[in-house]
Amino acid sequence: MLLKKLFPIVMAFLGMPFLMDAQVTTSSVTGVITNGTGDVLPGTTVVVTHTPTGTVYKTSTNKSGKYDLVNLIPGGPYAIEISSVGFTSFTESNYNLPLGENTKIDAVLNVSTTTLSEVVVSGRTGGFNSRKKTGASTSISKEQIAALPTLSRSLQDYTRLTPQANGNSFGGASNRFNNITIDGAVNNDVFGLAASGTPGGQAATTPISLDAIQEIQVVLAPYDVSYGNFTGAGVNAVTRSGTNKTEGSVYYFLRNQGTIGKDPVSRIKSTTFTDKQYGIRLGGPIIKNKLFYFVSGELARRTQPTIFNAGETNSLLTTAEAQELTDELQTKYNYAAGNFNSFDAQTQSDKIFGRLDWNISDKHRLTVRHNYIKAFDDNISRSSTLFRFGNNTYRFNNTQHITVAELRSRISKSVSNNLIIGRHEIRDFRSTYGQLFPSIEIAKGSGSIQVGSERSSTANELDQDIFEITDNVKIFAGKHTFTIGTHNEFFKFRNLFINNLNGRW
């Protein structure tokens, strides 16, 4: 009796719209089946098969001749078979389903004159079907990701295909009003320090290897309650999964001084600049049609030398002045100031991604994936009014462990469920070059010289632990679809910041 009283309250709580902040990781199909005279055909069997994995989704039409299939793997190709006793079967193959969109496929079945006759349509994408859009959005497929050029190999190189995009801004809104999700799990800089809006942005790393991404969707003004937590844009990406075919790739990208021009101020051109990315991916079956794996690894290595070094044109210090200051610090304080000539700043990141997909049954599919990132970025800048010695450099370090599990379930032909659980462990800290020493700033004309340990980096750490749980239930009732769900994020932060810990002069 108590359970009966509590059930409506719990369901009302789960249905509160302000809790609906998840993103969509799947595709869906809907349609109406009729006969040659226009009458609906209830009880018609609809079977949709994801050809690469052999995953089968099956349902039947209701009394209105309508069917709904949700929680489908984005992309394809798919084979669709519609059959009813006494009518010719309808089969379509080589069909792709965009991420987050509901594709409408209607069919007309004619009375069968031969028991086993059927209509086969191969590769047809128009006429009887259309996409039911959920507002202004842009979808970028796996084929587009592979074909379009990219300079930074980041999500931003593809989200710019959205007409309203300007860098990380959409419709003129700050990028901090965006919501970035990967496989339905949030991937935002919740503490708010990275200009990119994603974890690891201060270490100049991207959230995930581009080669692990299958499809990207950008939504701006959706009217599906499953989208939320943004007033700029929702950037929604899903990762690759293994299939029944073992396949992979090895890649290498290189930029060097031959691809860049002169500095616009000093007119100096670097002779040692390099930016490299290389990696590998592999996916395939563990058990055919049942269990699949996908793994990828990527290394990024960037070397960028400083300009306006001592003795160079428009530099704040001559070589003799820089050497004199270095000798003074070494003699009086036994402190090595570091390089005053060209300094090669390093930016590096290592990414390892793994994913398992398990077709538990024809009604349940489980996905578990883990993303590991270790990255750092050296920060040192020199200009005509600022000179920093080598040991005034600080290194921003970032390590991430992100695990996400998703269970897609079809409870009945009118009820489905999607459960996502994620855990994020993000560690950021700064490290300094050389031995610890007070931060010293010396004025010279209208410029300044900085030597010693960088004053904001000797005690600077941030630990973030995030746990999230999302559950969405879809109920199909005739021509209506009801979505009831909840999205929750739990944050734990540890922030150490002591400015001028070693003193400032």
Side-chain angles (χ1 to χ4, degrees), residues 13 17 24 65 132 134 151 190 200 208 259 339 418 445 473 476 485 496:
F13 172 76
V24 176
K132 299 182 72 175
T134 58
L151 187 63
V190 293
I208 194 170
T259 64
N339 196 336
N418 183 264
V473 180
F476 305 99
L496 168 68

Side-chain angles (χ1 to χ4, degrees), residues 43 54 62 64 78 149 170 173 179 227 231 233-234 244 257-258 261 263 299 302 330 359 387 410 476 495 499:
N62 59 21
S64 301
Y78 276 91
F170 295 86
N179 184 35
Y227 296 92
T231 54
N244 282 324
Q257 62 277 3
D263 178 79
L299 303 178
R302 179 185 176 95
Q330 184 68 57
N359 290 332
F387 189 92
R410 184 169 181 81
F476 305 99
N495 184 213
N499 214 16

Side-chain angles (χ1 to χ4, degrees), residues 328-339:
E328 184 79 3
L329 289 168
Q330 184 68 57
T331 301
K332 284 192 174 183
Y333 304 104
N334 195 30
Y335 174 69
N339 196 336

Side-chain angles (χ1 to χ4, degrees), residues 36-47:
T37 61
D39 296 326
V40 298
L41 293 177
T44 300
T45 300
V46 180
V47 180

Side-chain angles (χ1 to χ4, degrees), residues 117-134:
S117 66
E118 64 177 15
V119 177
V120 178
V121 181
S122 179
R124 186 175 177 183
T125 59
F128 55 84
N129 60 67
S130 62
R131 298 178 187 176
K132 299 182 72 175
K133 303 284 283 186
T134 58

